[in-house]
Amino acid sequence: MIAITGATGQLGHEVITALLKKHPPESLVAIVRNQSKAQSLAEKGIHVRVADYSDKDALRTALVGVEKLLLISSSEVGQRAAQHRNVIEAAVQTGVGLLAYTSLLHADTSPLQLAQEHRETEQMLADSGLPHVLLRNGWYTENYMASVPAALAHGVIPGCAGEGKIASASRKDYAEAAAQVLSLENQAGKIYELAGDEAWTLSELAQLLSDTSGKQVAYQNMSEADYAALLEGAGLPGPFAAILADSDTGASKGGLFDDTHQISTLTGHPTTSLLTSLKNAL
C-alpha cells in the first residue's frame, strides 16, 4: 500500500488524484488529522487513517502494512523537525519500504531560512537507515496567484527578490511528479530537484499580469526589512512575514531557480506555464 500524510491538504489532495490514475483506491492510505474532512476519500474506497504528526502511537498504527509513504512536510514552521522525526521513527518501526519526503529545492545549499528544517529532516532520514527518496520542491505558482487581486487593486507587486529567477510550478505539477516517483521502482537514494520548466522574475510577472489583465502593474523592489513590515502591516503575523521576506531575498540569490526540468521529465509533459496560471487566476 501507498500512504500519504496530510492527505486532505492542497498538495495531498492533488497527489491522491494523480495516484488514482495509476493505482486502485484500495491500495492507497490517506493519513489525516480530521476524519470528517476525508469523507470523500473514504467514499472512493481509499483507506482513511487518523494520525497527527505529533502522535507517535497513532502514526505507528496508521503505517501498519504500508510499503511506500509520502511524507508531506508539516506546515508548522519551527515544529517541523520534531514532527518529521516522529513520522520517520514510526516508518522505521513499522517496516515501511520507502519514504518519499517533500523537501525544499536545493535544500542542502539553499539560502532560504525555510531550508534549515528540511536539511535537518534529510539528515534524520540519512541517519535512520530507512530507504528514502527526496522530492525537493520549488515554489508553488499558486503562492503568487493569491496576490493577483491586490496587485490589480494597487497596481503594484511588492517584494525584495530583485531580478532573481523563480522556477515555480503548480501544485498539480509537483503532485504528478510525486505520484510518478511513488509508482516507480528502485527510487531509494534518489534526489529530485523539482521546479517549473519556465523561470521568471517578479518584474516579468508584473509585466505579464499587465499584458494579460489590461491594467498596468509594476514590480516594486524594496529592502527585506521594508517588505516584511509591509506584509505585517497587511495583517500577516510578524514571524511569517519575516519568513516570506527572507524567501524573497533567497530568490534574489538564486534559491528558487533550477533549470533541470525534472518535473516534466518525470511526468512526460511540460509544467503549467505562468501565463496559464495567470489566466486561471484572472
Side-chain angles (χ1 to χ4, degrees):
M1 290 192 293
I2 299 174
I4 303 92
T5 68
T8 55
Q10 291 174 304
L11 180 61
H13 175 77
E14 292 284 1
V15 171
I16 286 179
T17 299
L19 283 170
L20 284 171
K21 297 175 182 177
K22 303 171 181 289
H23 304 274
E26 61 270 17
S27 69
L28 304 180
V29 177
I31 299 176
V32 302
R33 287 189 297 182
N34 188 330
Q35 188 156 9
S36 63
K37 291 183 178 180
Q39 184 61 34
S40 62
L41 299 178
E43 290 171 355
K44 289 184 173 72
I46 295 168
H47 301 280
V48 175
R49 300 178 181 176
V50 178
D52 186 278
Y53 286 136
S54 299
D55 190 333
K56 296 180 182 181
D57 291 337
L59 286 168
R60 282 194 294 269
T61 300
L63 293 179
V64 171
V66 168
E67 296 155 12
K68 295 181 180 180
L69 169 65
L70 175 63
L71 168 54
I72 294 179
S73 59
S74 166
S75 60
E76 298 180 65
V77 176
Q79 300 180 49
R80 284 172 161 174
Q83 292 176 340
H84 295 165
R85 182 181 298 279
N86 291 337
V87 180
I88 292 166
E89 289 178 350
V92 171
Q93 291 163 4
T94 54
V96 169
L98 179 74
L99 186 151
Y101 171 62
T102 61
S103 187
L104 179 69
L105 187 66
H106 299 294
D108 53 338
T109 59
S110 174
L112 276 69
Q113 180 183 332
L114 282 173
Q116 181 57 35
E117 287 185 295
H118 290 295
R119 282 193 286 266
E120 290 175 25
T121 302
E122 290 188 5
Q123 187 60 52
M124 286 178 212
L125 283 165
D127 294 342
S128 73
L130 183 69
H132 63 276
V133 51
L134 301 179
L135 309 177
R136 288 177 169 169
N137 289 353
W139 243 222
Y140 298 138
T141 307
E142 288 89 345
N143 292 350
Y144 297 93
M145 297 305 99
S147 63
V148 164
L152 292 174
H154 301 289
V156 171
I157 293 176
C160 58
E163 292 302 304
K165 288 280 188 179
I166 299 165
S168 70
S170 71
R171 278 194 184 87
K172 184 178 179 182
D173 292 324
Y174 290 111
E176 290 180 351
Q180 180 66 4
V181 169
L182 290 167
S183 302
L184 294 170
E185 297 303 320
N186 303 315
Q187 293 300 295
K190 294 191 176 184
I191 299 173
Y192 292 97
E193 303 291 352
L194 301 177
D197 293 335
E198 156 191 35
W200 43 272
T201 66
L202 290 180
S203 295
E204 290 169 339
L205 171 61
Q207 185 60 56
L208 190 59
L209 179 54
S210 299
D211 296 343
T212 307
S213 68
K215 178 167 184 178
Q216 190 60 38
V217 177
Y219 171 54
Q220 180 183 352
N221 195 55
M222 52 183 64
S223 71
E224 181 178 326
D226 286 346
Y227 183 43
L230 178 71
L231 293 172
E232 191 170 359
L236 291 181
F240 186 51
I243 285 172
L244 291 181
D246 172 83
S247 297
D248 247 31
T249 298
S252 75
K253 300 174 182 177
L256 298 178
F257 174 74
D258 182 86
D259 60 358
T260 56
H261 307 285
Q262 292 184 38
I263 290 181
S264 52
T265 299
L266 280 167
T267 64
H269 60 78
T271 56
T272 308
S273 70
L274 181 61
L275 179 59
T276 296
S277 294
L278 268 178
K279 286 181 176 178
N280 290 340
L282 291 169

